[in-house]
């Protein structure tokens, strides 16, 4: 059991390193793109580029919030937070949803104004170059974030990745709008800006729903809980299990269950079976912290 504990500590340290690196990289990308888009928008007056600039500025603010939240969530459990600080990630997700919603509203308002009062765009070549750079950096960031989410299951990094995926669509749309504007279709720039804003707002709702599910202690997917029950009952000596409960906090899954064991079983053997069940579940689901309670079979299923 001591070796298992050491392995868990090693995995946690690895996860912490990946998550911190992902948040710092996201902040660096957002600030770099904001600076480039600010210059391109100033020279071109493109509503689509303004949409990209606004989104990148809010991305920077959201990524900074994410960085602070992840740093806090990785703090070990203490006397006031016995289950750790993982829900700070979900709070960061709610904050990101608010930031993204604001950006969508601002861009939509600007797009409607430009539809009503169209203006020619300037410096389209610079805008196109900036958007190509944005696509390259965003794709690189998304690939790394996908790796981190797969390894850690972090809610905050997943939320960050979700709005950078919307950025990928946003940047592609801006690029198309700038190219079309070069052929005299300036109004499409505003149309693309409004469409992007609506998509960003939808993404924000998705982030808020996911963060809310974590804060409300929503259960893991039914198939995962059922599989955990099968793993528990698959340990020789375990007759059955019931009252399996799960919830998520940050990168950790908290699992509680009652095992049904023969009533005449010595306490030391019952304890060993509980340890085996915990180890079986943790082996397949490394993020799970399992708490097992042993019930005498004669109490759970009394004879008539």
């Amino acid at each position: 059991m001591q070796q298992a504990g050491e392995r868990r500590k090693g995995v946690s340290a690895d996860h912490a390193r990946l998550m911190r690196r992902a948040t710092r990289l996201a902040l660096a990308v957002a600030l770099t793109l904001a600076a480039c888009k600010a210059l391109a928008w100033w020279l071109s007056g493109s509503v689509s580029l303004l949409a990209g600039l606004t989104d990148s500025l809010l991305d920077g603010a959201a990524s900074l919030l994410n960085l602070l939240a992840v740093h806090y969530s990785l703090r070990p459990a203490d006397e006031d937070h016995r289950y750790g600080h993982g829900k700070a990630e979900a709070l960061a997700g709610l904050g990101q949803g608010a930031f993204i919603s604001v950006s969508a509203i601002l861009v939509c308002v600007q797009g409607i104004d430009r539809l009503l009062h169209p203006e020619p765009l300037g410096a389209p070549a610079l805008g196109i170059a900036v958007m190509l750079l944005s696509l390259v950096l965003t794709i690189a960031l998304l690939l790394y974030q996908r790796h981190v989410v797969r390894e850690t299951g972090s809610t905050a990094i997943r939320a960050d990745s979700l709005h950078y995926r919307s950025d990928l669509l946003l940047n592609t749309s801006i690029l198309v709008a700038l190219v079309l504007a070069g052929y005299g279709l300036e109004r499409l720039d505003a149309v693309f800006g409004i469409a992007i804003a609506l998509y960003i707002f939808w993404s924000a709702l998705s982030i808020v729903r996911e963060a809310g599910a974590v804060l409300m202690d929503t259960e893991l997917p039914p198939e995962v809980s059922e599989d955990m029950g099968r793993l528990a009952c698959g340990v020789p000596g375990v007759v059955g299990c019931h009252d399996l409960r799960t919830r998520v906090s940050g990168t950790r899954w908290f699992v509680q269950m009652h095992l049904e064991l023969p009533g005449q079983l010595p306490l030391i053997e019952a304890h060993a079976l509980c340890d085996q069940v915990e180890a079986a579940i943790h082996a397949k689901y490394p993020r799970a912290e399992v708490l097992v309670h042993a019930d005498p079979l004669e109490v759970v299923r009394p004879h008539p």
Side-chain angles (χ1 to χ4, degrees):
M1 295 300 293
Q2 182 179 0
Q3 290 178 349
E6 290 174 356
R7 282 197 300 271
R8 292 187 194 186
K9 288 181 182 178
V11 169
S12 296
D14 228 21
H15 288 180
R17 177 179 54 81
L18 287 171
M19 291 166 63
R20 289 193 178 99
R21 185 178 295 169
T23 55
R24 291 166 185 163
L25 182 61
L27 181 59
V29 168
L31 294 179
T32 300
L33 294 183
C36 294
K37 289 175 183 177
L39 175 62
W41 168 71
W42 181 261
L43 295 176
S44 69
S46 165
V47 175
S48 292
L49 270 175
L50 177 61
L53 170 59
T54 304
D55 189 64
S56 291
L57 288 173
L58 291 170
D59 281 349
S63 294
L64 177 60
L65 174 65
N66 215 32
L67 187 152
L68 296 175
V70 165
H71 178 76
Y72 181 78
S73 72
L74 291 173
R75 293 172 60 183
D78 54 34
E79 291 185 1
D80 295 325
H81 306 86
R82 295 299 180 95
Y83 290 96
H85 302 78
K87 287 194 175 181
E89 290 193 39
L91 291 174
L94 290 179
Q96 286 186 339
F99 277 122
I100 296 169
S101 298
V102 170
S103 74
I105 292 170
L106 292 176
V107 171
C108 193
V109 170
Q110 184 67 21
I112 292 172
D113 179 70
R114 186 55 63 87
L115 268 180
L116 298 175
H117 309 95
E119 296 178 12
L121 302 183
L126 176 60
I128 291 172
V130 167
M131 297 323 301
L132 288 174
L133 173 64
S134 298
L135 287 174
V136 171
L137 292 181
T138 304
I139 290 172
L141 175 61
L142 284 172
L143 289 174
Y144 186 72
Q145 286 179 326
R146 185 173 66 176
H147 167 69
V148 174
V149 170
R150 187 170 58 245
E151 292 294 322
T152 68
S154 168
T155 302
I157 304 300
R158 184 181 290 110
D160 217 27
S161 179
L162 179 59
H163 83 247
Y164 277 105
R165 282 203 299 273
S166 71
D167 282 358
L168 188 63
L169 177 61
L170 182 147
N171 292 332
T172 302
S173 299
I174 295 172
L175 181 61
V176 172
L178 291 173
V179 171
L180 292 176
Y183 290 95
L185 301 172
E186 287 88 358
R187 281 185 179 271
L188 286 180
D189 174 59
V191 173
F192 271 76
I194 294 171
I196 291 165
L198 294 175
Y199 181 80
I200 292 173
F201 191 77
W202 177 254
S203 297
L205 293 180
S206 301
I207 293 172
V208 169
R209 280 197 301 268
E210 181 174 345
V214 173
L215 291 173
M216 294 300 294
D217 288 333
T218 301
E219 289 272 325
L220 291 171
E223 59 271 18
V224 175
S225 297
E226 292 169 5
D227 189 42
M228 289 180 176
R230 284 192 293 269
L231 290 171
C233 294
V235 173
V238 175
V239 180
C241 70
H242 61 276
D243 287 349
L244 196 159
R245 301 176 181 179
T246 62
R247 66 183 181 88
V248 178
S249 180
T251 61
R252 308 305 298 169
W253 294 355
F254 291 98
V255 181
Q256 299 178 14
M257 66 171 60
H258 288 232
L259 293 185
E260 301 167 11
L261 305 176
Q264 70 276 14
L265 200 66
L267 179 59
I268 191 168
E269 293 184 21
H271 177 74
L273 286 176
C274 291
D275 283 348
Q276 290 176 41
V277 168
E278 291 179 13
I281 294 175
H282 183 75
K284 186 168 183 180
Y285 301 101
R287 289 187 281 150
E289 293 188 7
V290 187
L291 178 64
V292 176
H293 175 80
D295 284 335
L297 181 62
E298 293 77 6
V299 174
V300 178
R301 306 180 191 176
H303 294 291

